[in-house]
Amino acid sequence: MARQKGIIKLKGTIGDITFYKTQDGHLAREKGGIDASRIKNDPAFQRTRENGSEFGRAGKAGKVLRTALRALLLNSADGRVVSRLTQAMVKVIQADMISERGLRNVIDGEAELLAGFEFNIRGKLGTSLFAPYVGTIDRVSGDISIAMDPFIPANMIAAPGGTTHFKIISAGAEIDFEAETFVSTNSATTILPWDMTETVAISQVNPVTANSTKPLFLALGVEFYQQVNGQMYPLKNGSYNPLSLVNVSGL
């Protein structure tokens, strides 16, 4: 892989060189690769097929989780969240100690490995929100909740420049990775001033199916706003809004 330089940037293929654009700039690489039918049928590529199968399964699992949290991710995801979450799902699948290689899956893996996953690498929850919170997943009732004692926003939230207000957001999700379905609910405070005035206690309950046998997820985040002439505007289009999986209960 090579980086294109100069005024004119190319796209497409010339001879054996393919030119393309990525988030890292305009790149070029040599055409190549192995015939697809050989990868599909040649015994020498058995491991490749197994890895491909599990990688595809990880991609689908990540998509279901992202869809379940879509209402929050619209304002709290970076441009590489798809690939980063897929990589995290691969680790979950590789932790499956029951299934054969190539058949490993999220259900028999360790979904708890996703705890702490940051959906916005540019604005992490751990470096933005310092107010203590308790995240609870109650399988019996189906309640997935966040509780926070009163706190001083300017002291306990590290906000980007220009912030005047914020919201605390959360979501609970029940994911059936095999059927690629989900149940999810989300909550948010009102828009609160980012100042030295103490908040009230915050309690958010996001119910899913009671007595569920599926993996359950709790996401917590912050949205930043700027007030201009009495109107609230998402700060920098949400570029620095953190959102993280703070609790995961797998089976």
Side-chain angles (χ1 to χ4, degrees):
M1 180 178 66
R3 189 177 300 275
Q4 296 186 52
K5 293 185 177 181
I7 298 175
I8 300 176
K9 306 300 183 183
L10 302 176
K11 292 183 181 180
T13 301
I14 300 177
D16 291 331
I17 305 297
T18 298
F19 301 89
Y20 58 102
K21 182 180 180 181
T22 71
Q23 294 183 36
D24 298 318
H26 290 78
L27 307 177
R29 65 184 175 193
E30 185 177 5
K31 287 179 62 178
I34 300 169
D35 183 78
S37 63
R38 183 182 175 193
I39 294 177
K40 185 176 180 180
N41 300 295
D42 192 330
F45 289 93
Q46 177 65 26
R47 289 291 176 262
T48 301
R49 291 193 292 272
E50 292 170 351
N51 291 338
S53 176
E54 292 183 353
F55 186 81
R57 199 170 292 120
K60 290 181 179 180
K63 181 179 181 180
V64 176
L65 179 56
R66 294 195 317 274
T67 304
L69 301 176
R70 178 174 172 77
L72 276 59
L73 287 175
L74 287 173
N75 298 318
S76 306
D78 63 59
R80 297 185 183 277
V81 68
V82 174
S83 59
R84 292 193 301 105
L85 184 55
T86 298
Q87 291 173 359
M89 283 292 187
V90 167
K91 294 180 180 179
V92 170
I93 288 173
Q94 289 175 340
D96 178 355
M97 297 298 159
I98 300 173
S99 308
E100 296 180 5
R101 182 167 176 163
L103 299 176
R104 293 178 295 186
N105 57 82
V106 175
I107 299 300
D108 295 318
E110 293 292 336
E112 287 84 356
L113 292 175
L114 294 172
F117 181 83
E118 299 279 359
F119 289 96
N120 187 0
I121 207 69
R122 296 168 298 187
K124 298 181 180 180
L125 186 68
T127 56
S128 301
L129 179 64
F130 298 95
Y133 60 84
V134 177
T136 304
I137 295 178
D138 187 331
R139 281 194 169 274
V140 176
S141 67
D143 289 340
I144 300 177
S145 59
I146 282 287
M148 304 177 69
D149 290 332
F151 63 92
I152 304 295
N155 289 343
M156 303 306 288
I157 295 179
T163 297
T164 62
H165 291 73
F166 71 97
K167 283 198 305 189
I168 300 295
I169 59 175
S170 68
E174 171 196 18
I175 311 291
D176 186 334
F177 288 106
E178 293 179 333
E180 298 182 24
T181 59
F182 62 87
V183 176
S184 65
T185 55
N186 53 273
S187 303
T189 63
T190 58
I191 297 179
L192 304 171
W194 183 68
D195 57 17
M196 295 299 293
T197 302
E198 186 176 69
T199 68
V200 299
I202 295 173
S203 177
Q204 298 181 347
V205 180
N206 304 292
V208 294
T209 307
N211 298 305
S212 173
T213 59
K214 309 300 181 183
L216 304 179
F217 299 84
L218 170 60
L220 175 65
V222 184
E223 291 185 354
F224 297 111
Y225 295 85
Q226 185 177 66
Q227 185 176 32
V228 178
N229 296 329
Q231 297 294 318
M232 295 294 178
Y233 297 91
L235 188 68
K236 296 182 180 178
N237 295 319
S239 297
Y240 298 102
N241 292 342
L243 181 69
S244 177
L245 292 177
V246 297
N247 201 344
V248 179
S249 174
L251 287 177

